[in-house]
């Protein structure tokens, strides 16, 4: 065993850091650091900077404009980006649809859609969940009925993250009702400009607009927009989810969050001493740091096991649970670290250009709403309960 | 032993619980919490009329209650409605200090308080004092017959709307000393009082208050010159009980809603409450909320007793409430899935209040440390 990066990997890391130093606009990293809301334009700007470098699609093979990086390289990249407060890339096109098209799409679909993901022409969102179908995704009801060379789609999707910015949505739709639920699902690519589609905002508990409901009323979708075979969509859907879950582990985000927490705990005072010296607080911080140390390696072990580009299997469930629990614990500690200043909240202070003096320490304002917002981490992408079911079935054989 | 409330308290509970149900439904609450005023003067007057404020004061102070169990009854219902009106600052902390230390002349204000005509807030915490009660750097300097106050008070609950502030300030001693702290009644509109009002994450009103050479008369001093600590500790104990009971009320609501959801939300062809993974967690939740109720009862019972008993009991309550509160809030959101993350639904607002209550009058860690210290002092 060798737990160090190889010489080439260190060189790669240095290259990534240099790139971030040169190319990551400070305006963006300041926003990420201060938890200021990123606009659509901000996210697009960062995508195009990465794309110019050829570093946008870290998971894709070179042939399709990806980096062809090894899992370790991807990890190095993610960690360095988080440490530099780079915006996270929007995962729907890059991390989810991309791999599905590469594995299951037609050459034509790949040629058409993949470059448009890279150059920012298309912003994708994910139409899986429905009001009645969350954990039990296979029970989904949105109908697609064949009509010549089109499908007519009717139904409703929900929790569509950043759907308000998207011009395309990939959807699971029911194309057969006369069979086992998993067997009658197809995977459709739908242009959001098609008549009959309506997007309505859902406001989350922290007062943000991040998710949406999407309604389909007799929406006409060309059959050529189907990925793979009719009624075989479940296979592709599951393949996509393993990618979604690994992304959610967010080791880089946790490392960065922990650093931020330490800065705060050094600055906050308890009886005239830095909070970081308080044995109760120090203990909890150390525990989460130790968990994260282990998680880093678990993550690398899983990644190393899938060297060669395959999707991780049930192991991704492990990464998702552990990764999200750690991130949530860091959010919780950060909230606690603020003491009473965890309470004040000025919504406008999350907008770029707000220049009133902060209430309490300048880092305080977004902390509690982040804590609440990140409760989502253990719910979406297949809830942590569902991941445990997967682990007990797939890994333990129970 | 009798764990039932007496007849008077049961009536009080029924009155307030009906009021909250009928006049303070979720939609009304969200409207009030979202408005600039921070609370509804109309609702405040109605609740005063019902005797809710009076129930928080003892007879000798013009009320008809004021004991631990009165506080418990009232604040449990306040929690059940996530009522944003300033009961804590006005009737428990501010009002409690005036009742405890005030001269007859000073206590005259309590009539207005109980009648709903005046609100108070306790301006005590400071940017670096965190949850310590003796960490006071605001100064009070003698000037002629009166005093001049200077300092910064932070996250004053109800400070955005209070008519009168009860301000703590140091007349002598070092930063963390218990001796040397005095209390002053300061008109919120007095010269030199600079208020920065804001809302909190959970929709309540608060303020940071800067005092710049605020001149007050000798009659503004509550109690003696520098011996207010014991009264502050006592009022805070009452506040801790109130907040713990409030959290309990909110947790009961959240627990019931979650149970209801487990029974009605279908996935995989069955109500999700059929999954053992959730059943056991719901069972834990129930158990912990019962434990929370017991610790609040303990604190209510100890409130009028000997200092050490009282302080241990309230620290125990706040610590346990903090732990159970986090569990209840997080589990309720989790078991609701995506719905638990939405603004439109009431449950997450209860969850937010429960979590934020940990940041008031000392969090879980603070009261754990304090409980250990008090135990070794016994
Ligand atoms: C902020 C946010 C963003 C999202 N973004 C997207 C998106 O972009 N696209 C998209 O398609 N979806 C998205 N989702 C939806 C997400 O995937 C679902 O919320 C999730 O799958 C859970 O479904 P549900 O909310 O219906 O909860 P339910 O399935 O109703 O679950 C409720 C509770 O029951 C538990 N449970 C259910 N079944 C079992 C079982 N068999 N055993 C044990 N426990 C069980 C769950 O774990 C949960 O705790 C998002 C959700 C959120 C909150």
């Amino acid at each position: 065993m060798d737990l160090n990066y190889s010489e080439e990997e260190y060189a790669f890391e240095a290259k990534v850091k240099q790139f971030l130093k040169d190319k990551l606009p400070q305006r963006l990293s300041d926003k990420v650091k201060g938890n200021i809301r990123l606009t659509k334009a901000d996210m697009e700007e960062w995508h195009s900077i990465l794309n110019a470098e050829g570093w946008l699609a870290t998971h894709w093979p070179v042939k399709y404009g990806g980096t062809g990086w090894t899992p370790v390289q991807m990890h190095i990249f993610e960690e360095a980006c988080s440490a530099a407060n780079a915006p996270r890339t929007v995962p729907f096109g890059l991390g989810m649809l991309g791999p599905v098209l590469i594995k299951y799409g037609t050459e034509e679909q790949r040629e058409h859609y993949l470059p448009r993901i890279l150059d920012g022409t298309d912003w994708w969102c994910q139409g899986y969940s429905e009001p009645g179908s969350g954990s039990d995704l296979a029970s989904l009801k949105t109908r697609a009925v064949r009509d010549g060379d089109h499908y007519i789609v009717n139904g409703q999707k929900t929790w569509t993250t950043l759907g308000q910015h998207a011009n395309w949505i990939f959807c699971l739709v029911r194309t057969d009702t006369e069979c086992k639920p998993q067997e009658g699902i197809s995977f459709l690519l739908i242009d959001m400009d098609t008549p009959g589609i309506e997007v309505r905002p859902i406001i989350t508990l922290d007062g943000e607009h991040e998710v949406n409901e999407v309604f389909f009323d007799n929406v006409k979708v060309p059959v050529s927009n189907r990925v793979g075979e009719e009624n075989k969509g479940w296979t592709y859907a599951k393949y996509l989810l393993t990618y979604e879950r690994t992304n959610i582990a967010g080791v880089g985000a946790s490392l960065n969050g922990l650093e931020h927490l330490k800065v705060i705990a050094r600055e906050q005072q308890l009886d005239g001493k830095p909070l970081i010296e308080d044995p109760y607080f120090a203990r909890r911080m150390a525990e989460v740091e130790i968990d994260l140390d282990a998680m880093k390696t678990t993550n690398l072990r899983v990644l190393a096991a899938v060297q060669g580009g395959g999707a991780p299997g049930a192991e991704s469930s492990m990464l998702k649970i552990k990764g999200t629990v750690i991130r949530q614990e860091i959010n919780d500690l950060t909230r606690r670290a603020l003491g009473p200043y965890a309470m004040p909240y000025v919504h406008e202070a999350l907008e770029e250009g707000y220049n009133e003096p902060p209430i309490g320490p300048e880092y305080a304002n977004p902390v509690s709403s982040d804590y609440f917002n990140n409760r989502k981490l253990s719910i979406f992408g297949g809830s942590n309960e569902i991941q445990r079911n997967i682990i007990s079935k797939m890994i333990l054989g129970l | 032993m009798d764990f039932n409330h007496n007849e008077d308290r049961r009536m009080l509970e029924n009155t307030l619980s009906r009021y909250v149900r009928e006049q303070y439904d979720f939609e009304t609450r969200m409207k009030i919490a979202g408005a600039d005023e921070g609370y509804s003067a109309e609702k405040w007057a109605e609740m005063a009329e019902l005797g809710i404020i009076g129930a928080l004061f003892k007879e000798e102070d013009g009320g008809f209650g004021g004991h631990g169990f009165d506080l418990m009854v009232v604040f449990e219902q306040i929690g059940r409605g996530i009522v944003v009106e300033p009961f804590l600052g006005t009737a428990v902390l501010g009002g409690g200090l005036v009742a405890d230390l005030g001269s007859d002349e000073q206590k005259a204000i309590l009539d207005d308080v109980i009648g709903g005509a005046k609100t108070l807030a306790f301006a005590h915490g400071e940017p670096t004092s965190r949850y310590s009660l003796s960490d006071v750097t605001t100064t009070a300097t003698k000037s002629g017959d009166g005093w001049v106050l200077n300092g910064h008070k932070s996250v004053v609950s109800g400070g955005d709307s209070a008519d009168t502030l009860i301000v703590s300030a140091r007349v002598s001693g070092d930063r963390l000393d218990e001796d040397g702290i005095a209390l002053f009644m300061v008109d919120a509109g007095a010269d030199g009082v600079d208020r920065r009002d804001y809302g909190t994450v959970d929709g309540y009103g608060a303020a940071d208050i800067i005092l710049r050479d605020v001149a007050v008369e000798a009659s503004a001093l509550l109690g003696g010159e520098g011996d207010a600590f014991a009264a502050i500790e006592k009022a805070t104990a009452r506040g801790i009980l109130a907040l713990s009971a409030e959290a309990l009320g909110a947790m009961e609501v959240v627990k019931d809603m979650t149970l209801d959801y487990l029974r009605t939300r279908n996935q995989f062809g069955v109500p999700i409450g059929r999954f053992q993974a959730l059943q056991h967690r719901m069972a834990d939740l129930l158990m912990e909320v019962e434990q929370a109720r017991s610790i609040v009862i303990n604190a209510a019972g100890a409130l009028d007793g000997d200092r050490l008993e009282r302080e241990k009991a309230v620290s125990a309550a706040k610590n346990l409430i903090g732990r159970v509160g986090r569990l209840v809030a997080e589990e309720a959101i989790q078991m609701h899935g995506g719905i638990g993350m939405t603004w439109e639904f009431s449950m997450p607002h209860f969850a937010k209040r429960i979590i934020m209550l940990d940041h008031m009058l000392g969090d879980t860690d603070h009261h754990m440390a304090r409980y250990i210290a008090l135990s070794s002092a016994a």
Side-chain angles (χ1 to χ4, degrees):
Chain A
M1 249 188 234
D2 181 1
L3 300 186
N4 295 308
Y5 292 147
S6 68
E7 233 166 84
E8 297 84 67
E9 282 161 349
Y10 279 121
F12 175 75
E13 186 179 37
K15 198 166 106 184
V16 170
K17 285 186 172 159
Q18 189 60 47
F19 161 77
L20 289 165
K21 223 167 117 193
D22 296 341
K23 298 286 170 63
L24 171 61
Q26 193 178 340
R27 194 181 63 82
L28 292 184
S29 58
D30 282 351
K31 272 183 136 181
V32 171
K33 190 161 180 231
N35 266 305
I36 304 300
R37 222 176 277 136
L38 292 171
T39 61
K40 182 181 188 187
D42 290 335
M43 295 185 253
E44 286 174 334
E45 180 183 348
W46 181 232
H47 275 214
S48 86
I49 292 168
L50 287 172
N51 190 40
E53 191 73 19
W55 283 3
L56 183 55
T58 55
H59 288 75
W60 300 4
V62 180
K63 182 174 164 205
Y64 297 110
T67 56
W69 285 342
T70 64
V72 174
Q73 284 177 309
M74 287 183 233
H75 172 81
I76 289 171
F77 182 70
E78 194 214 340
E79 208 170 300
C81 284
S82 292
N85 291 303
R88 279 180 73 104
T89 52
V90 184
F92 305 107
L94 291 166
M96 300 184 194
L97 181 64
V100 169
L101 288 179
I102 290 165
K103 190 162 163 100
Y104 296 107
T106 60
E107 199 47 48
E108 217 175 8
Q109 286 170 335
R110 289 192 278 254
E111 268 169 27
H112 179 72
Y113 293 110
L114 295 179
R116 293 164 60 97
I117 292 174
L118 293 180
D119 69 17
T121 309
D122 294 336
W123 182 304
W124 286 90
C125 61
Q126 179 186 28
Y128 271 30
S129 307
E130 298 181 9
S133 305
S135 301
D136 183 14
L137 188 56
S139 70
L140 62 93
K141 293 196 170 59
T142 295
R143 276 288 270 151
V145 178
R146 192 72 180 257
D147 177 19
D149 52 4
H150 282 85
Y151 288 106
I152 306 297
V153 178
N154 278 289
Q156 182 194 346
K157 293 291 173 184
T158 191
W159 309 121
T160 320
T161 299
L162 300 181
Q164 71 268 36
H165 299 328
N167 58 330
W168 280 82
I169 182 168
F170 54 87
C171 283
L172 296 179
V173 294
R174 182 153 306 286
T175 35
D176 189 349
T177 51
E178 306 292 309
C179 52
K180 270 178 60 186
Q182 285 84 348
E183 286 163 9
I185 292 170
S186 298
F187 194 108
L188 282 191
L189 310 178
I190 304 179
D191 183 341
M192 305 266 290
D193 288 333
T194 323
I197 297 183
E198 192 197 339
V199 179
R200 290 188 206 154
I202 298 175
I203 304 302
T204 44
L205 79 176
D206 52 336
E208 292 296 314
H209 176 198
E210 156 179 326
V211 284
N212 304 271
E213 298 175 289
V214 184
F215 296 84
F216 299 86
D217 178 18
N218 287 321
V219 175
K220 243 176 119 176
V221 182
V223 170
S224 58
N225 284 18
R226 192 186 67 223
V227 177
E229 289 176 54
E230 188 170 85
N231 296 333
K232 292 279 181 280
W234 190 244
T235 311
Y236 324 135
K238 283 196 302 187
Y239 177 76
L240 179 147
L241 281 175
T242 55
Y243 273 98
E244 180 175 356
R245 277 163 206 158
T246 338
N247 263 342
I248 291 174
V251 172
S254 284
L255 284 166
N256 207 24
L258 188 65
E259 280 316 305
H260 187 54
L261 169 61
K262 284 184 182 168
V263 170
I264 293 177
R266 269 187 216 108
E267 206 166 293
Q268 286 289 310
Q269 301 253 308
L270 180 70
D271 293 334
K273 278 191 299 212
L275 177 63
I276 203 163
E277 291 172 20
D278 174 57
Y280 300 94
F281 202 82
R283 177 194 168 136
R284 280 219 308 267
M285 247 173 56
E287 268 171 6
V288 75
E289 187 162 10
I290 290 165
D291 282 344
L292 184 53
D293 274 350
M295 176 73 206
K296 255 169 78 173
T297 301
T298 308
N299 191 35
L300 285 169
R301 284 170 57 210
V302 172
L303 291 176
V306 297
Q307 281 277 18
E315 291 77 12
S316 71
S317 297
M318 220 159 62
L319 298 180
K320 199 247 163 175
I321 297 175
K322 211 56 219 177
T324 55
V325 168
I326 288 172
R327 272 179 76 188
Q328 290 176 333
E329 186 65 20
I330 293 170
N331 283 141
D332 180 68
L333 286 171
T334 312
R335 166 178 72 72
R336 285 161 185 266
L338 294 178
Y341 274 126
M343 301 185 71
Y345 180 59
V346 181
H347 196 76
E348 308 79 65
L350 297 179
E351 304 275 7
E352 189 172 19
Y354 179 83
N355 50 18
E356 302 274 315
I359 293 160
E362 39 93 18
Y363 44 73
N365 190 54
V367 166
S368 288
S369 51
D370 268 4
Y371 159 82
F372 287 112
N373 184 283
N374 271 347
R375 299 313 306 166
K376 72 188 174 193
L377 298 176
S378 48
I379 296 172
F380 66 19
S383 72
N384 284 12
E385 289 75 24
I386 294 301
Q387 306 309 321
R388 288 190 177 88
N389 289 348
I390 292 175
I391 292 173
S392 48
K393 231 189 249 149
M394 312 285 283
I395 304 183
L396 301 172
L398 291 172
Chain B
M1 293 241 129
D2 179 5
F3 286 107
N4 297 305
H5 288 305
N6 66 24
E7 185 59 30
D8 287 349
R9 291 190 184 118
R10 274 211 297 274
M11 266 171 58
L12 176 66
E13 184 170 63
N14 288 340
T15 306
L16 184 52
S17 124
R18 189 172 336 110
Y19 179 81
V20 167
R21 233 180 10 254
E22 291 168 6
Q23 309 295 327
Y24 211 94
D25 55 280
F26 176 64
E27 210 176 297
T28 307
R29 188 273 180 186
M30 292 308 284
K31 234 180 252 152
I32 298 172
D36 283 345
E37 294 71 31
Y39 78 102
S40 156
E42 190 192 327
K43 297 284 168 204
W44 183 247
E46 285 170 9
M47 287 187 276
E49 177 90 358
L50 289 176
I52 307 304
I53 305 173
L56 300 170
F57 288 92
K58 297 191 171 143
E59 264 171 57
E60 66 254 35
D61 301 314
F64 47 86
H67 293 282
F69 292 108
D70 300 305
L71 263 67
M72 178 175 173
V73 162
V74 168
F75 275 88
E76 212 181 314
Q77 297 306 318
I78 286 176
R80 293 191 72 96
I82 35 177
V83 169
V84 300
E85 277 61 30
F87 284 96
L88 180 79
T90 299
V92 181
L93 299 175
L97 286 164
V98 175
D100 193 8
L101 297 177
S103 61
D104 286 347
E105 207 175 297
Q106 288 168 326
K107 278 166 112 172
I109 199 176
L110 295 181
D111 280 347
D112 281 345
V113 165
I114 290 170
K118 265 211 153 100
T119 53
L120 310 177
F122 181 32
H124 182 53
E126 300 182 359
T128 54
S129 68
R130 207 173 176 82
Y131 304 117
S132 160
L133 293 182
S134 65
D135 191 344
V136 174
T137 61
T138 295
T139 55
T141 323
K142 270 222 166 92
S143 158
D145 275 351
W147 299 82
V148 174
L149 308 179
N150 276 290
H152 180 165
K153 296 296 183 179
S154 67
V155 201
V156 178
S157 167
D160 57 324
S161 58
D163 300 306
T164 303
L165 304 168
I166 311 299
V167 177
S168 60
R170 187 165 285 291
V171 294
S172 64
D174 291 331
R175 178 171 158 193
L176 298 171
D177 288 351
E178 291 178 4
D179 284 340
I181 302 170
L183 291 170
F184 298 88
M185 294 172 74
V186 180
D187 192 289
D191 279 349
V193 175
D194 183 7
R195 283 194 333 200
R196 174 119 186 246
D197 302 343
Y198 46 79
T200 55
V201 186
D202 49 353
Y204 293 69
D208 267 38
I209 298 170
I210 315 265
L211 306 153
R212 282 194 196 87
D213 293 328
V214 177
V216 295
E217 292 177 14
S219 61
L221 178 71
L222 266 180
E225 288 178 19
D227 57 3
F229 183 79
I232 291 172
E233 192 183 67
K234 208 156 121 200
T236 302
R238 295 169 68 78
I240 292 171
L241 169 65
L243 294 181
S244 300
E246 183 183 340
L248 176 64
M251 290 194 285
E252 289 280 8
V253 171
V254 164
K255 181 199 77 185
D256 290 346
M257 291 179 99
T258 306
L259 181 57
D260 198 44
Y261 198 71
L262 293 189
R263 286 183 175 138
T264 50
R265 169 71 171 171
N266 286 302
Q267 291 286 275
F268 304 100
V270 293
I272 54 173
R274 291 276 182 84
F275 301 122
Q276 204 166 56
L278 302 188
Q279 286 170 352
H280 285 187
R281 284 157 66 179
M282 195 64 222
D284 282 343
L285 227 152
L286 168 83
M287 208 158 61
E288 294 302 330
V289 173
E290 290 305 326
Q291 283 281 87
R293 177 170 297 283
S294 296
I295 208 80
V296 173
I297 292 172
N298 287 355
L303 198 65
D304 291 321
D306 146 76
R307 183 227 164 214
L308 197 61
E309 292 274 299
R310 178 191 75 208
E311 292 303 321
K312 264 184 76 174
V314 297
S315 274
K318 197 65 172 45
N319 173 269
L320 188 62
I321 288 286
R323 287 189 278 144
V324 176
R326 182 181 171 199
L327 177 89
V328 170
E330 293 183 352
E331 286 284 70
I333 292 173
Q334 182 69 24
M335 289 198 266
H336 273 86
I339 292 287
M341 289 286 303
T342 58
W343 183 273
E344 207 186 358
F345 181 42
S346 60
M347 189 281 292
H349 296 275
F350 285 86
K352 286 200 287 185
R353 179 59 176 167
I354 292 167
I355 294 288
M356 283 300 115
L357 282 170
D358 196 43
H359 292 274
M360 299 176 78
L361 305 183
D363 68 5
T364 315
D365 287 352
H366 172 82
H367 284 290
M368 173 61 85
R370 195 162 180 270
Y371 185 84
I372 293 171
L374 289 165
S375 300
S376 59

